[in-house]
Amino acid sequence: MFKAYKGKLIPWNQEEQLDSHFDNIWAKKKGETSWAFQVMILDTEDKHWIYKRNGAIRKLLEDIGLESLSGVPYLRPEIQLLYKGGSSVIREKDVNDLNNVLPKLSD
């Protein structure tokens, strides 16, 4: 597993505690080049998720996720887009994600 810090990926040892400044964990099988999944560490208070870049943006924890037809939980697209759009570096694939998802979102 790797932890992301200031845009850099750092190997994460099994015995190591996760420092509070980490907000993403990327995982892949040893020797693989593709990432298997990402775990986002979210800020919460009481029963609310708090957007780390603007604490005034909050949502009930029960309202930030969805579940696939096969039962896999995932972050709501509008929240994922918020994280992508709030990044200091917006990549072409982030713009493509916005353009593909935005027409499918309700007001």
Side-chain angles (χ1 to χ4, degrees):
M1 288 195 153
F2 289 82
K3 52 194 174 188
Y5 179 62
K6 295 185 178 181
K8 296 181 180 177
L9 296 176
I10 305 164
W12 184 16
N13 298 319
Q14 289 181 344
E15 293 80 28
E16 185 179 0
Q17 295 287 324
L18 184 65
D19 293 332
S20 62
H21 61 269
F22 290 106
D23 57 6
N24 282 293
I25 300 169
W26 288 86
K28 65 179 176 177
K29 290 184 178 181
K30 190 173 185 172
E32 295 285 325
T33 57
S34 300
W35 295 108
F37 61 91
Q38 172 190 13
V39 176
M40 294 180 67
I41 309 299
L42 304 176
D43 292 331
T44 64
E45 183 177 276
D46 298 320
K47 295 183 179 188
H48 289 85
W49 158 78
I50 305 166
Y51 179 51
K52 69 178 182 173
R53 295 181 179 116
N54 180 345
I57 300 174
R58 296 168 177 243
K59 198 164 186 72
L60 284 172
L61 285 171
E62 63 190 46
D63 295 335
I64 66 168
L66 295 171
E67 192 173 286
S68 73
L69 295 176
S70 58
V72 177
Y74 62 95
L75 197 58
R76 294 186 69 90
E78 60 269 27
I79 294 176
Q80 184 62 49
L81 289 171
L82 178 63
Y83 279 104
K84 286 172 164 272
S87 177
S88 60
V89 176
I90 298 179
R91 304 161 297 182
E92 183 178 347
K93 71 181 201 169
D94 298 327
V95 174
N96 290 339
D97 287 346
L98 175 64
N99 291 333
N100 287 325
V101 174
L102 193 58
K104 297 176 176 121
L105 296 177
S106 66
D107 289 340

